[in-house]
Amino acid sequence: MERTLAIETVKAVGKEVKLQGWVNTRRDHGKIMFLDLRDRSGIVQLVSTKDLADARAEDVIEVVGLVKERPASMVNPKIETGTVEVEIKSIAIISKARELPFPIDTDGYDINEEIRMKYRYLDIRRSRMTRNLRVRSKVTTFIRNYLTVLDFVEVETPMLTKTTPEGARDFIVPSRLQKGKFYALPQSPQQYKQLLMVAGLERYFQIVRCFRDEDPRKDRAYGEFTQLDMEMSFVTQNDILSLIELMFTKLVGEIFPEKHISQSPWPRIPHKEAMATYGTDKPDIRKDKNDPNELAFSWTIDFPLFTEQSEEDFYHGSGAAKFAPSHHMFTSPHPDDIGLLDTDPMKVRGLQHDLVLNGYEVGGGSIRIHEREVQEKVFDLIGFSEKQKSQFEHMLTAFTYGVPPHGGIAPGIDRLVMSILGEPTIREVMAFPASSSGQTSVMDAPSDATPEQLKELGITVISKKKL
Ligand code: ASP
């Protein structure tokens, strides 16, 4: 017999069906016993007058039974299959479940996060988490379809690569073949996507993992996150902003019909004005902050190209220069301000654009520099040594072979889904995030390497005591 899903039972009244899933709940009422069976489609009530002593919550079972319409007084409007129940003919326990370490029939917010992460595969059984992962999948599928129709090409770029300057600390990976040398995991595919523009693709996207060794915050997970990375040639900043605005407006309409976008077109707020009016470059411009269905998108534009360099900007340059890129070092200066690069760099505006949703920065991008001389000047201003410059020689070389003007953006998928769903942290929309202390869920990395692995890599670990 073919398997029937819980949701399909409503259309199978009078038929015998085979169901497979988990025991969601069990209720004993003397001579009659109820089990709710849960599968990926939902829940259906099973009923039996026989003793089902062995079937306990979270056991995996297979049931053959007769679908019956419930009498009107017994209809449960709270579940989609509330008009029917399945009379059990036979039941087999496929896999027993131990008692779970925490309840999964609640929203789970009040459960210790480390325990939730340790047993994430159980935590995901709760309906809120299952919904979040399904919604996220719908979002990425929508984006893929939308952009593919617009002639964008999805390209995968390397994960084992060289440092990419997004301003954070890199994760490094030792090389076995070249002992003493290291790869860096990409902070973003920034350089590759620009090289793909030189390659003539014109329209690129990738739903891609990025790695940054930064301290976690509620809108930032430790270690890795996913972004929709995009790049386009022969575009203006307005083209990029309009495309994103249209795509996300359609996405919200299709996937989140209960939500409303409070202002359209999305306001484009110059950085200076945002700071003066809201005291932040990511203003929360919702009309009613108590309304969970309001989505207030806005753009912040006209950022200064540079900020004063601080200790933390060590990763950008030598530390000797005064200027740090406010976005990253490939962002183009505003064409009207090019002259100021020599005279008053802090006054130069950049062609940067940040996407803000309900007070969260959910994406950033820019029109890029495509002239070798301007790129070199920016490297100088941020205090790159000749050695550091040589690390980017491939970009400067590429720019000598006919480079189209280009620009892009990278909305964060986790942040976007978190903000739309109104989830309190980014980890609530990730399947297996690292905990806030940097331990990976379930697998509990980082962990020790064996002496053999270290030997092969030519690495000696200094014991903690000596550090
Ligand atoms: N690479 C940038 C980032 O990850 C985004 C961009 O400029 O397109 O923030």
Side-chain angles (χ1 to χ4, degrees):
M1 199 191 287
E2 288 267 305
R3 180 185 180 207
T4 300
L5 290 175
I7 190 75
E8 292 164 345
T9 54
V10 277
K11 294 213 180 86
V13 174
K15 294 203 179 113
E16 203 166 88
V17 293
K18 181 168 91 183
L19 297 157
Q20 291 167 323
W22 285 259
V23 175
N24 197 57
T25 50
R26 172 196 167 111
R27 295 180 301 283
D28 293 289
H29 289 272
K31 287 211 169 63
I32 186 154
M33 214 169 274
F34 296 99
L35 295 181
D36 281 351
L37 176 138
R38 182 183 77 240
D39 63 20
R40 68 173 197 274
S41 72
I43 281 172
V44 64
Q45 177 169 290
L46 315 178
V47 54
S48 177
T49 48
K50 294 204 199 85
D51 186 10
L52 304 173
D54 282 350
R56 296 276 158 205
E58 297 308 310
D59 289 349
V60 175
I61 55 169
E62 179 176 296
V63 166
V64 174
L66 182 66
V67 183
K68 289 185 158 175
E69 202 150 351
R70 293 199 208 181
S73 60
M74 306 289 271
V75 166
N76 179 357
K78 287 197 197 124
I79 56 172
E80 279 181 87
T81 59
T83 54
V84 295
E85 62 185 10
V86 179
E87 193 180 278
I88 298 177
K89 299 275 180 214
S90 69
I91 177 167
I93 295 178
I94 297 175
S95 171
K96 288 294 294 170
R98 287 160 59 185
E99 196 183 330
L100 267 44
F102 44 66
I104 56 167
D105 58 352
T106 63
D107 61 25
Y109 291 120
D110 54 351
I111 303 168
N112 175 295
E113 207 183 23
E114 264 179 46
I115 299 185
R116 284 181 63 200
M117 292 309 162
K118 180 167 179 197
Y119 298 99
R120 188 57 154 183
Y121 48 90
L122 299 178
D123 192 51
I124 292 174
R125 287 187 190 175
R126 77 180 70 254
S127 56
R128 179 175 63 88
M129 288 307 298
T130 308
R131 176 208 60 186
N132 287 1
L133 294 186
R134 281 182 179 271
V135 161
R136 187 186 168 117
S137 164
K138 280 191 192 162
V139 166
T140 49
T141 303
F142 179 96
I143 290 170
R144 279 208 167 86
N145 292 340
Y146 190 92
L147 292 177
T148 308
V149 168
L150 291 180
D151 215 18
F152 279 79
V153 184
E154 184 171 12
V155 181
E156 291 172 79
T157 51
M159 288 284 127
L160 291 176
T161 178
K162 217 171 171 175
T163 182
T164 42
E166 310 284 341
R169 197 181 285 106
D170 282 323
F171 281 97
I172 59 170
V173 180
S175 157
R176 177 180 61 84
L177 297 177
Q178 295 183 46
K179 288 190 184 38
K181 295 240 159 93
F182 297 85
Y183 301 95
L185 302 180
Q187 292 182 35
S188 91
Q190 183 62 37
Q191 296 181 68
Y192 286 112
K193 68 175 172 176
Q194 292 193 240
L195 294 173
L196 288 170
M197 296 302 105
V198 180
L201 277 191
E202 292 197 24
R203 294 186 152 203
Y204 143 93
F205 83 100
Q206 179 179 194
I207 294 174
V208 65
R209 208 60 73 82
C210 301
F211 302 88
R212 299 183 190 178
D213 189 357
E214 295 176 302
D215 293 336
R217 291 194 309 234
K218 71 182 173 127
D219 61 342
R220 200 161 70 188
Y222 177 71
E224 46 188 300
F225 61 92
T226 305
Q227 70 185 22
L228 162 61
D229 197 48
M230 296 170 67
E231 198 72 9
M232 285 161 267
S233 294
F234 307 111
V235 285
T236 61
Q237 188 172 52
N238 181 51
D239 294 331
I240 300 170
L241 272 45
S242 305
L243 184 139
I244 293 290
E245 186 164 334
L246 202 60
M247 175 168 72
F248 285 161
T249 301
K250 288 211 169 127
L251 182 151
V252 169
E254 199 162 292
I255 304 177
F256 306 95
E258 71 285 6
K259 307 270 171 189
H260 59 271
I261 295 176
S262 48
Q263 225 174 307
S264 196
W266 303 350
R268 296 179 183 182
I269 310 171
H271 180 261
K272 231 188 207 158
E273 190 187 315
M275 296 309 286
T277 316
Y278 306 99
T280 170
D281 54 11
K282 13 183 186 299
D284 187 349
I285 57 165
R286 276 178 291 180
K287 296 199 175 93
D288 176 3
K289 297 205 172 67
N290 296 316
D291 174 2
N293 286 331
E294 179 177 357
L295 301 178
F297 286 98
S298 64
W299 293 104
T300 308
I301 52 170
D302 288 344
F303 281 80
L305 187 64
F306 298 111
T307 57
E308 299 273 351
Q309 188 151 147
S310 68
E311 285 283 302
E312 284 156 30
D313 293 316
F314 165 76
Y315 297 97
H316 286 301
S318 63
K322 267 179 68 194
F323 312 109
S326 95
H327 182 220
H328 54 57
M329 58 192 73
F330 305 115
T331 295
S332 171
H334 195 292
D336 297 345
D337 299 350
I338 293 274
L340 291 170
L341 278 177
D342 293 317
T343 53
D344 197 353
M346 287 303 284
K347 285 231 169 73
V348 178
R349 288 163 300 163
L351 291 179
Q352 176 187 347
H353 35 259
D354 274 9
L355 175 59
V356 180
L357 170 57
N358 294 358
Y360 287 106
E361 184 198 321
V362 292
S366 59
I367 295 290
R368 324 297 182 188
I369 297 167
H370 67 277
E371 300 98 339
R372 188 186 162 113
E373 308 73 53
V374 180
Q375 188 66 70
E376 280 188 313
K377 190 164 275 181
V378 169
F379 284 167
D380 285 337
L381 283 163
I382 60 179
F384 264 11
S385 61
E386 286 308 313
K387 190 162 173 243
Q388 283 170 314
K389 262 195 242 173
S390 70
Q391 287 200 319
F392 296 97
E393 186 52 42
H394 53 275
M395 294 294 281
L396 299 176
T397 304
F399 284 6
T400 62
Y401 287 107
V403 50
H406 58 283
I409 187 165
I413 296 290
D414 320 276
R415 271 194 205 180
L416 183 76
V417 177
M418 172 192 90
S419 316
I420 297 181
L421 289 174
E423 284 289 7
T425 76
I426 207 163
R427 295 186 291 281
E428 301 294 346
V429 300
M430 300 167 94
F432 296 104
S435 74
S436 38
S437 55
Q439 294 297 119
T440 67
S441 47
V442 189
M443 309 243 184
D444 208 21
S447 52
D448 294 328
T450 64
E452 294 74 32
Q453 285 173 317
L454 292 174
K455 194 168 167 220
E456 223 174 21
L457 295 166
I459 287 181
T460 318
V461 176
I462 306 167
S463 81
K464 257 195 203 152
K465 277 181 239 142
K466 291 198 186 138
L467 281 175

